[in-house]
Structures are given as structure tokens and as C-alpha cells.
Amino acid sequence: MDANLIEITDFQDPALDIYARLTENQLVNRADPANALFIGESPLVIGRALEAGCEPVSFLMEKKHALGKGRPLLERCGPVPVYVADEAVLCQLTGFHLTRGMLCAMRRPAPLTPEQACQRARRVAVLENVMNPTNLGAIFRSAAALDIGAVLLTAQGSDPLYRRALRVSMGNVFLVPWAYLPEDWPGLLRRLGFRTAAMALREKSLDIADPRLLHEERLAIVLGTEGDGLAADTIAQCDYTVRIPMSHGVDSLNVAAASAVAFYQLTRKPG
């Protein structure tokens, strides 16, 4: 085993800043993208990141896992630093319980362009200012499960590589291509051959089961931010406005729940 096990003795060691003191925005390091990082949590998420080609920088894990369930991961990573301690010490250092007992700091992968992300996609999701990392992770998990070819995000939304988004997605962020959109994204999608379907509860909207939607060769499913939903001008620029029928006076679904319903219905093959 080539892993470089380092027992934690000094909480102020600068090498531990990644795990204990840097914010998510500091890890993103927009001023120096070549050195931008993210934190993977749990063997499943870390394993999927490695399979996607992400480069590990260091690990933080319970001592027992370095020679146990973490060993197969470490054997894939060569002599990277592996900081180890008992669970109580790690909780004191990070301020939270580590899911499955391990974290891994990794370099962020090179970003895709929307054109690259959509290259082979028949159905894509567009997320306008989705801010909650839990919702974002759940949307990626549904996208992977329900045959969405790419996820496209506006710059104001949450980061798919935030630790919570990664954890909730169960690492599916690495299985679905994603990219950030320019401001004029409706025009870009049109040039790429997509028709756009805004998910919004409007009077003059199509039922999500309308067969016209299934017959679209390429369709972008557009979902809005928590609370306010899609902006009015976004809806106006889309080819369709689509609603999920509601009962019992419920006026809307959480964006993650709505995405799962929309992905399931709109990725079906036309009858």
C-alpha cells in the first residue's frame, strides 16, 4: 500500500485548512482556477470522482478506515497524503460527523462548454438560479437515473461540486455532463437544435402529458429557482410552458420533486 498515512497531531497544520477552515467559495478559487478544489465525502462519491478522472490532493479519514473500507480507494491514488485520526478528533477538527468516515480534497475538473455537454443529448435540464445544494444534488441524481443527457446551469445558482450537492447526488454529478450557460442561453439552445419547455404553473400551459412534447427531437426542460420559480422573461422566451397537474389545492412542487416528475415523463419514447 503506497498511501502516505499522517497522524493528526496539530489542528493548525496548514495542510488541514482545506477540511477545517476554507469555505466552499475559497475552495472554488475563482482567481486561480488551475488550483481550484472540491471536497468529496464518502467512498461512493470519492470513487465516482476518481472514475471521472478527478485528481486527489489529500484524504482525511478515520484511522480504522485507512486499513479497512478506505483501502481500495487509497490503492488507486498512489502516495497522496492521508490525514488520519479517531472519529472524535475528526469531528472536533471539522465541526461535523464525516459521512462514511472520510473526505477527499480533489482538483476541480476542467469545465465543459454547453456545446460539449449537450453533444449527444436528446433531453437536457436547464436550472435557472437553483440555489439550494440539496435540491441541486437531488436533481442530478434524478437526471442520471432518468436519462437526462446534460444539466445546464445559470451562473447565479449553486455549485454542483459543493460537498452537500455531491453527497446528495451520490456522486451522480460525475455521471451527467454539466456546464454553465451564458446570459443569452435561450438563443444558444435554439442554435443547438433544442426546443425549450418552461416548467411553470400558468393558465395557458400544456399538460406535461401532452404528446407534442414527447415528439420533440431535442428538448430542454427549464426549471426555476426555489420559491419564485422561473423569471417571467425566461418563460416568455421558451417554446412551451408546461405544468404538472396538481390536486388538493397544492400550488407547486419542490424543484427537485418537480424535476423527477418532468424527467420521467419527458424522456419517454413517443407512442
Side-chain angles (χ1 to χ4, degrees):
M1 181 174 176
D2 296 324
N4 178 19
L5 301 186
I6 303 169
E7 185 92 25
I8 294 173
T9 58
D10 178 10
F11 276 23
Q12 300 308 311
D13 184 340
L16 299 176
D17 286 350
I18 296 171
Y19 302 104
R21 287 172 284 276
L22 296 186
T23 67
E24 298 271 16
N25 285 334
Q26 287 172 319
L27 290 171
V28 171
N29 197 3
R30 290 181 174 85
D32 186 12
N35 289 309
L37 303 172
F38 70 92
I39 303 293
E41 184 175 359
S42 85
L44 175 63
V45 170
I46 296 167
R48 285 185 169 168
L50 291 173
E51 288 162 10
C54 296
E55 177 188 350
V57 173
S58 66
F59 283 84
L60 178 71
M61 66 173 60
E62 291 181 45
K63 188 187 304 183
K64 65 182 181 182
H65 295 325
L67 300 175
K69 66 182 180 182
R71 185 184 179 100
L73 289 175
L74 298 181
E75 288 176 342
R76 296 165 61 182
C77 297
V80 300
V82 182
Y83 298 97
V84 297
D86 292 332
E87 179 182 8
V89 174
L90 296 183
C91 288
Q92 185 180 351
L93 173 69
T94 62
F96 60 89
H97 175 74
L98 275 62
T99 301
R100 305 296 183 186
M102 65 185 70
L103 302 175
C104 181
M106 311 184 91
R107 298 202 183 280
R108 291 178 69 95
L112 297 177
T113 65
E115 292 86 350
Q116 290 170 328
C118 294
Q119 191 171 11
R120 297 179 179 86
R122 178 176 173 268
R123 296 289 185 264
V124 301
V126 174
L127 308 183
E128 182 182 70
N129 303 346
V130 173
M131 304 300 296
N132 187 304
T134 298
N135 284 334
L136 188 61
I139 291 169
F140 266 94
R141 187 173 177 182
S142 293
L146 299 170
D147 206 25
I148 294 297
V151 175
L152 306 173
L153 309 103
T154 57
Q156 294 78 18
S158 186
D159 181 359
L161 297 182
Y162 279 178
R163 187 170 65 235
R164 182 180 294 274
L166 280 173
R167 185 172 69 243
V168 174
S169 82
M170 297 186 71
N172 284 302
V173 164
F174 301 111
L175 302 183
V176 181
W178 58 273
Y180 283 104
L181 289 164
E183 288 190 12
D184 180 30
W185 59 264
L188 170 64
L189 290 178
R190 199 167 291 115
R191 292 192 295 274
L192 294 176
F194 286 93
R195 301 271 279 174
T196 48
M199 301 301 301
L201 292 169
R202 296 292 179 92
E203 287 186 11
K204 295 182 179 179
S205 59
L206 294 182
D207 187 293
I208 195 169
D210 191 299
R212 285 174 285 183
L213 298 168
L214 297 183
H215 282 87
E216 290 291 354
E217 184 66 26
R218 304 188 95 186
L219 187 69
I221 303 162
V222 186
L223 297 142
T225 187
E226 299 87 351
D228 294 334
L230 289 171
D233 60 341
T234 298
I235 297 172
Q237 292 182 75
C238 287
D239 299 297
Y240 299 105
T241 304
V242 179
R243 71 182 184 280
I244 298 170
M246 304 282 170
S247 61
H248 299 291
V250 176
D251 62 357
S252 66
L253 294 175
N254 166 275
V255 65
S259 75
V261 174
F263 297 166
Y264 174 79
Q265 174 62 30
L266 298 177
T267 55
R268 296 169 59 204
K269 303 299 182 184

mmCIF file of all heavy atoms in Angstrom, residues 69-98:
data_model
loop_
_atom_site.group_PDB
_atom_site.id
_atom_site.type_symbol
_atom_site.label_atom_id
_atom_site.label_comp_id
_atom_site.label_asym_id
_atom_site.label_seq_id
_atom_site.Cartn_x
_atom_site.Cartn_y
_atom_site.Cartn_z
ATOM 1 N N LYS A 69 -12.289 -0.061 4.911
ATOM 2 C CA LYS A 69 -13.069 0.200 3.704
ATOM 3 C C LYS A 69 -12.482 1.293 2.815
ATOM 4 O O LYS A 69 -12.815 1.378 1.636
ATOM 5 C CB LYS A 69 -14.507 0.554 4.078
ATOM 6 C CG LYS A 69 -14.673 1.860 4.842
ATOM 7 C CD LYS A 69 -16.138 2.088 5.200
ATOM 8 C CE LYS A 69 -16.333 3.380 5.972
ATOM 9 N NZ LYS A 69 -17.754 3.577 6.359
ATOM 10 N N GLY A 70 -11.573 2.103 3.370
ATOM 11 C CA GLY A 70 -10.936 3.118 2.545
ATOM 12 C C GLY A 70 -9.745 2.618 1.760
ATOM 13 O O GLY A 70 -9.274 3.287 0.836
ATOM 14 N N ARG A 71 -9.269 1.444 2.093
ATOM 15 C CA ARG A 71 -8.046 0.933 1.465
ATOM 16 C C ARG A 71 -8.142 0.820 -0.061
ATOM 17 O O ARG A 71 -7.213 1.230 -0.778
ATOM 18 C CB ARG A 71 -7.687 -0.424 2.081
ATOM 19 C CG ARG A 71 -6.363 -0.995 1.581
ATOM 20 C CD ARG A 71 -6.102 -2.385 2.145
ATOM 21 N NE ARG A 71 -4.850 -2.921 1.627
ATOM 22 C CZ ARG A 71 -3.701 -2.912 2.287
ATOM 23 N NH1 ARG A 71 -3.638 -2.380 3.494
ATOM 24 N NH2 ARG A 71 -2.616 -3.435 1.748
ATOM 25 N N PRO A 72 -9.258 0.273 -0.628
ATOM 26 C CA PRO A 72 -9.319 0.186 -2.101
ATOM 27 C C PRO A 72 -9.208 1.548 -2.787
ATOM 28 O O PRO A 72 -8.598 1.656 -3.860
ATOM 29 C CB PRO A 72 -10.688 -0.457 -2.358
ATOM 30 C CG PRO A 72 -10.996 -1.215 -1.101
ATOM 31 C CD PRO A 72 -10.417 -0.382 -0.003
ATOM 32 N N LEU A 73 -9.777 2.587 -2.172
ATOM 33 C CA LEU A 73 -9.648 3.925 -2.751
ATOM 34 C C LEU A 73 -8.211 4.407 -2.686
ATOM 35 O O LEU A 73 -7.669 4.928 -3.663
ATOM 36 C CB LEU A 73 -10.556 4.912 -2.013
ATOM 37 C CG LEU A 73 -12.060 4.785 -2.222
ATOM 38 C CD1 LEU A 73 -12.796 5.758 -1.316
ATOM 39 C CD2 LEU A 73 -12.432 5.045 -3.678
ATOM 40 N N LEU A 74 -7.589 4.236 -1.547
ATOM 41 C CA LEU A 74 -6.208 4.706 -1.385
ATOM 42 C C LEU A 74 -5.266 3.985 -2.332
ATOM 43 O O LEU A 74 -4.305 4.588 -2.842
ATOM 44 C CB LEU A 74 -5.760 4.509 0.063
ATOM 45 C CG LEU A 74 -6.567 5.281 1.123
ATOM 46 C CD1 LEU A 74 -6.006 5.020 2.511
ATOM 47 C CD2 LEU A 74 -6.591 6.771 0.823
ATOM 48 N N GLU A 75 -5.512 2.733 -2.595
ATOM 49 C CA GLU A 75 -4.647 1.972 -3.501
ATOM 50 C C GLU A 75 -4.717 2.490 -4.937
ATOM 51 O O GLU A 75 -3.808 2.244 -5.725
ATOM 52 C CB GLU A 75 -5.032 0.492 -3.448
ATOM 53 C CG GLU A 75 -4.620 -0.184 -2.144
ATOM 54 C CD GLU A 75 -5.085 -1.628 -2.057
ATOM 55 O OE1 GLU A 75 -6.002 -2.006 -2.832
ATOM 56 O OE2 GLU A 75 -4.545 -2.367 -1.210
ATOM 57 N N ARG A 76 -5.795 3.207 -5.256
ATOM 58 C CA ARG A 76 -5.937 3.783 -6.599
ATOM 59 C C ARG A 76 -5.258 5.139 -6.723
ATOM 60 O O ARG A 76 -5.169 5.682 -7.831
ATOM 61 C CB ARG A 76 -7.426 3.941 -6.937
ATOM 62 C CG ARG A 76 -8.178 2.634 -7.011
ATOM 63 C CD ARG A 76 -9.690 2.836 -6.976
ATOM 64 N NE ARG A 76 -10.180 3.629 -8.083
ATOM 65 C CZ ARG A 76 -11.462 3.967 -8.229
ATOM 66 N NH1 ARG A 76 -12.367 3.573 -7.345
ATOM 67 N NH2 ARG A 76 -11.837 4.704 -9.267
ATOM 68 N N CYS A 77 -4.798 5.703 -5.603
ATOM 69 C CA CYS A 77 -4.376 7.108 -5.604
ATOM 70 C C CYS A 77 -2.889 7.325 -5.413
ATOM 71 O O CYS A 77 -2.428 8.476 -5.457
ATOM 72 C CB CYS A 77 -5.136 7.865 -4.513
ATOM 73 S SG CYS A 77 -6.914 7.913 -4.782
ATOM 74 N N GLY A 78 -2.128 6.261 -5.182
ATOM 75 C CA GLY A 78 -0.704 6.452 -5.005
ATOM 76 C C GLY A 78 -0.378 7.132 -3.685
ATOM 77 O O GLY A 78 -1.187 7.154 -2.762
ATOM 78 N N PRO A 79 0.821 7.754 -3.588
ATOM 79 C CA PRO A 79 1.300 8.281 -2.301
ATOM 80 C C PRO A 79 0.762 9.670 -1.951
ATOM 81 O O PRO A 79 1.529 10.574 -1.594
ATOM 82 C CB PRO A 79 2.819 8.294 -2.489
ATOM 83 C CG PRO A 79 2.995 8.556 -3.951
ATOM 84 C CD PRO A 79 1.851 7.846 -4.644
ATOM 85 N N VAL A 80 -0.530 9.890 -2.042
ATOM 86 C CA VAL A 80 -1.083 11.180 -1.621
ATOM 87 C C VAL A 80 -1.171 11.204 -0.100
ATOM 88 O O VAL A 80 -1.302 10.150 0.542
ATOM 89 C CB VAL A 80 -2.478 11.424 -2.238
ATOM 90 C CG1 VAL A 80 -2.405 11.429 -3.755
ATOM 91 C CG2 VAL A 80 -3.485 10.414 -1.748
ATOM 92 N N PRO A 81 -1.085 12.390 0.533
ATOM 93 C CA PRO A 81 -1.200 12.453 1.998
ATOM 94 C C PRO A 81 -2.577 11.981 2.466
ATOM 95 O O PRO A 81 -3.604 12.348 1.889
ATOM 96 C CB PRO A 81 -1.010 13.940 2.299
ATOM 97 C CG PRO A 81 -0.348 14.508 1.089
ATOM 98 C CD PRO A 81 -0.837 13.703 -0.077
ATOM 99 N N VAL A 82 -2.587 11.159 3.503
ATOM 100 C CA VAL A 82 -3.817 10.661 4.106
ATOM 101 C C VAL A 82 -3.769 11.020 5.587
ATOM 102 O O VAL A 82 -3.030 10.400 6.366
ATOM 103 C CB VAL A 82 -3.973 9.138 3.926
ATOM 104 C CG1 VAL A 82 -5.292 8.664 4.524
ATOM 105 C CG2 VAL A 82 -3.877 8.758 2.453
ATOM 106 N N TYR A 83 -4.518 12.056 5.981
ATOM 107 C CA TYR A 83 -4.532 12.503 7.368
ATOM 108 C C TYR A 83 -5.532 11.658 8.139
ATOM 109 O O TYR A 83 -6.697 11.546 7.747
ATOM 110 C CB TYR A 83 -4.887 13.987 7.434
ATOM 111 C CG TYR A 83 -3.862 14.836 6.713
ATOM 112 C CD1 TYR A 83 -4.081 15.256 5.401
ATOM 113 C CD2 TYR A 83 -2.663 15.172 7.329
ATOM 114 C CE1 TYR A 83 -3.129 16.006 4.724
ATOM 115 C CE2 TYR A 83 -1.706 15.925 6.656
ATOM 116 C CZ TYR A 83 -1.944 16.330 5.360
ATOM 117 O OH TYR A 83 -0.993 17.064 4.698
ATOM 118 N N VAL A 84 -5.095 11.052 9.236
ATOM 119 C CA VAL A 84 -5.934 10.103 9.962
ATOM 120 C C VAL A 84 -6.000 10.465 11.440
ATOM 121 O O VAL A 84 -5.070 11.048 12.015
ATOM 122 C CB VAL A 84 -5.422 8.650 9.804
ATOM 123 C CG1 VAL A 84 -5.480 8.206 8.355
ATOM 124 C CG2 VAL A 84 -4.013 8.501 10.359
ATOM 125 N N ALA A 85 -7.143 10.129 12.040
ATOM 126 C CA ALA A 85 -7.359 10.289 13.477
ATOM 127 C C ALA A 85 -8.606 9.516 13.834
ATOM 128 O O ALA A 85 -9.326 9.015 12.964
ATOM 129 C CB ALA A 85 -7.500 11.764 13.848
ATOM 130 N N ASP A 86 -8.875 9.416 15.136
ATOM 131 C CA ASP A 86 -10.115 8.782 15.562
ATOM 132 C C ASP A 86 -11.297 9.691 15.266
ATOM 133 O O ASP A 86 -11.139 10.906 15.065
ATOM 134 C CB ASP A 86 -10.057 8.480 17.060
ATOM 135 C CG ASP A 86 -9.030 7.404 17.390
ATOM 136 O OD1 ASP A 86 -8.769 6.553 16.509
ATOM 137 O OD2 ASP A 86 -8.482 7.427 18.507
ATOM 138 N N GLU A 87 -12.491 9.112 15.257
ATOM 139 C CA GLU A 87 -13.699 9.852 14.887
ATOM 140 C C GLU A 87 -13.892 11.115 15.722
ATOM 141 O O GLU A 87 -14.208 12.178 15.187
ATOM 142 C CB GLU A 87 -14.925 8.946 15.036
ATOM 143 C CG GLU A 87 -16.234 9.643 14.687
ATOM 144 C CD GLU A 87 -17.443 8.739 14.878
ATOM 145 O OE1 GLU A 87 -17.283 7.631 15.425
ATOM 146 O OE2 GLU A 87 -18.547 9.157 14.503
ATOM 147 N N ALA A 88 -13.685 11.032 17.028
ATOM 148 C CA ALA A 88 -13.910 12.188 17.899
ATOM 149 C C ALA A 88 -12.971 13.344 17.535
ATOM 150 O O ALA A 88 -13.371 14.519 17.555
ATOM 151 C CB ALA A 88 -13.707 11.787 19.360
ATOM 152 N N VAL A 89 -11.730 13.026 17.173
ATOM 153 C CA VAL A 89 -10.771 14.055 16.785
ATOM 154 C C VAL A 89 -11.193 14.712 15.478
ATOM 155 O O VAL A 89 -11.141 15.939 15.323
ATOM 156 C CB VAL A 89 -9.359 13.453 16.657
ATOM 157 C CG1 VAL A 89 -8.364 14.476 16.112
ATOM 158 C CG2 VAL A 89 -8.884 12.932 18.002
ATOM 159 N N LEU A 90 -11.642 13.911 14.515
ATOM 160 C CA LEU A 90 -12.063 14.459 13.231
ATOM 161 C C LEU A 90 -13.289 15.349 13.393
ATOM 162 O O LEU A 90 -13.399 16.391 12.733
ATOM 163 C CB LEU A 90 -12.354 13.330 12.241
ATOM 164 C CG LEU A 90 -11.151 12.459 11.857
ATOM 165 C CD1 LEU A 90 -11.563 11.429 10.822
ATOM 166 C CD2 LEU A 90 -10.004 13.304 11.338
ATOM 167 N N CYS A 91 -14.228 14.956 14.236
ATOM 168 C CA CYS A 91 -15.410 15.789 14.491
ATOM 169 C C CYS A 91 -15.000 17.121 15.115
ATOM 170 O O CYS A 91 -15.552 18.172 14.784
ATOM 171 C CB CYS A 91 -16.398 15.064 15.389
ATOM 172 S SG CYS A 91 -17.273 13.710 14.587
ATOM 173 N N GLN A 92 -14.029 17.076 16.022
ATOM 174 C CA GLN A 92 -13.541 18.301 16.652
ATOM 175 C C GLN A 92 -12.856 19.205 15.632
ATOM 176 O O GLN A 92 -12.992 20.425 15.650
ATOM 177 C CB GLN A 92 -12.569 17.954 17.782
ATOM 178 C CG GLN A 92 -12.092 19.151 18.593
ATOM 179 C CD GLN A 92 -11.132 18.749 19.702
ATOM 180 O OE1 GLN A 92 -10.944 17.560 19.972
ATOM 181 N NE2 GLN A 92 -10.506 19.729 20.329
ATOM 182 N N LEU A 93 -12.107 18.596 14.704
ATOM 183 C CA LEU A 93 -11.385 19.356 13.689
ATOM 184 C C LEU A 93 -12.328 20.017 12.696
ATOM 185 O O LEU A 93 -12.208 21.206 12.384
ATOM 186 C CB LEU A 93 -10.415 18.432 12.942
ATOM 187 C CG LEU A 93 -9.690 19.037 11.739
ATOM 188 C CD1 LEU A 93 -8.697 20.093 12.204
ATOM 189 C CD2 LEU A 93 -8.977 17.948 10.935
ATOM 190 N N THR A 94 -13.282 19.228 12.183
ATOM 191 C CA THR A 94 -14.133 19.727 11.095
ATOM 192 C C THR A 94 -15.424 20.356 11.582
ATOM 193 O O THR A 94 -16.061 21.111 10.844
ATOM 194 C CB THR A 94 -14.491 18.575 10.135
ATOM 195 O OG1 THR A 94 -15.245 17.588 10.853
ATOM 196 C CG2 THR A 94 -13.244 17.947 9.553
ATOM 197 N N GLY A 95 -15.858 20.011 12.783
ATOM 198 C CA GLY A 95 -17.109 20.541 13.296
ATOM 199 C C GLY A 95 -18.331 19.753 12.889
ATOM 200 O O GLY A 95 -19.456 20.173 13.132
ATOM 201 N N PHE A 96 -18.147 18.601 12.231
ATOM 202 C CA PHE A 96 -19.283 17.770 11.832
ATOM 203 C C PHE A 96 -18.831 16.309 11.728
ATOM 204 O O PHE A 96 -17.638 16.016 11.640
ATOM 205 C CB PHE A 96 -19.883 18.234 10.493
ATOM 206 C CG PHE A 96 -18.913 18.199 9.345
ATOM 207 C CD1 PHE A 96 -18.756 17.059 8.559
ATOM 208 C CD2 PHE A 96 -18.144 19.319 9.038
ATOM 209 C CE1 PHE A 96 -17.863 17.030 7.514
ATOM 210 C CE2 PHE A 96 -17.238 19.292 7.984
ATOM 211 C CZ PHE A 96 -17.098 18.140 7.224
ATOM 212 N N HIS A 97 -19.819 15.419 11.733
ATOM 213 C CA HIS A 97 -19.537 13.993 11.583
ATOM 214 C C HIS A 97 -19.294 13.686 10.105
ATOM 215 O O HIS A 97 -20.076 14.084 9.239
ATOM 216 C CB HIS A 97 -20.721 13.170 12.094
ATOM 217 C CG HIS A 97 -20.563 11.701 11.877
ATOM 218 N ND1 HIS A 97 -19.706 10.929 12.641
ATOM 219 C CD2 HIS A 97 -21.141 10.854 10.987
ATOM 220 C CE1 HIS A 97 -19.769 9.680 12.233
ATOM 221 N NE2 HIS A 97 -20.628 9.598 11.223
ATOM 222 N N LEU A 98 -18.222 12.992 9.805
ATOM 223 C CA LEU A 98 -17.890 12.663 8.415
ATOM 224 C C LEU A 98 -18.773 11.517 7.927
ATOM 225 O O LEU A 98 -18.806 10.452 8.537
ATOM 226 C CB LEU A 98 -16.418 12.238 8.284
ATOM 227 C CG LEU A 98 -15.372 13.340 8.120
ATOM 228 C CD1 LEU A 98 -15.350 14.250 9.324
ATOM 229 C CD2 LEU A 98 -13.994 12.721 7.904
#
